[in-house]
């Protein structure tokens, strides 16, 4: 958890968000992250709002939202409250895709669990002695 200060170093943001410095620079360059402020020496300084927004981007990325959709979402957010309905529609479509991914993973998990059960059953069979091990 970040300390309660008004600005954060890139290193602190990397630690908090799990994004690499390269990813932070990339997100800023393509417009996913707004212009990051800089101190007198020209070093990036992130605000709490930046960190919060990066948390949203982390969630969207981790759930498989393509960069193009993330950019569209960012555009809608920056455009103002009159885009809330569009944001909801975009997020609902993404949520449906996430739900499909979860269902697919659950199905695969059931297959893995069945295989585990099979191998546990096989392991419970009496072991054959290796040849030449008789007493």
């Amino acid at each position: 958890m970040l300390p309660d200060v008004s600005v954060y170093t890139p290193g602190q943001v990397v630690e908090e968000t799990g994004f690499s410095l390269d990813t932070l620079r990339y997100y800023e360059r393509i417009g996913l992250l707004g212009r990051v402020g800089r101190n007198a020496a020209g070093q990036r300084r992130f605000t709490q709002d930046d960190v919060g927004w990066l948390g949203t981007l982390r969630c969207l990325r981790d759930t498989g939202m393509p960069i193009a959709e993330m950019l569209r979402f960012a555009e809608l957010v920056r455009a103002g409250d009159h885009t809330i309905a569009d944001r909801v529609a975009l997020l609902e479509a993404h949520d449906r895709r996430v739900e499909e991914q979860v269902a697919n993973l659950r199905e695969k998990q059931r297959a893995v669990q069945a295989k585990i059960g099979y191998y546990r059953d096989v392991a419970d069979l009496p072991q054959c002695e290796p040849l030449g091990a008789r007493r």
Side-chain angles (χ1 to χ4, degrees), residues 13-131:
V13 174
V14 163
E15 190 170 319
E16 179 69 16
T17 65
F19 287 125
S20 69
L21 284 172
D22 288 338
T23 298
L24 294 176
R25 287 186 203 107
Y26 173 68
Y27 281 5
E28 185 180 5
R29 190 174 77 248
I30 66 170
L32 265 179
L33 182 60
R35 284 261 177 227
V36 176
R38 295 178 182 264
N39 66 12
Q43 299 163 322
R44 285 180 173 82
R45 291 297 178 254
F46 294 82
T47 66
Q48 187 60 48
D49 286 345
D50 293 329
V51 174
W53 177 246
L54 285 164
T56 299
L57 294 178
R58 166 59 72 192
C59 176
L60 296 176
R61 187 177 99 168
D62 286 354
T63 55
M65 183 179 277
I67 293 277
E69 280 187 41
M70 291 169 63
L71 282 166
R72 176 70 180 137
F73 183 70
E75 290 169 4
L76 291 170
V77 169
R78 288 188 193 110
D81 287 349
H82 69 281
T83 67
I84 288 177
D86 292 331
R87 289 183 239 170
V88 168
L90 187 146
L91 292 172
E92 284 176 339
H94 179 62
D95 184 56
R96 285 189 295 275
R97 289 190 304 274
V98 170
E99 192 60 45
E100 290 170 6
Q101 291 172 358
V102 169
N104 187 325
L105 285 172
R106 289 275 183 230
E107 183 180 326
K108 305 274 191 277
Q109 183 183 36
R110 284 189 291 277
V112 168
Q113 290 170 342
K115 190 58 75 176
I116 291 168
Y118 168 79
Y119 285 123
R120 283 186 174 157
D121 289 346
V122 168
D124 286 341
L125 295 173
Q127 293 285 333
C128 296
E129 290 183 35
L131 291 176

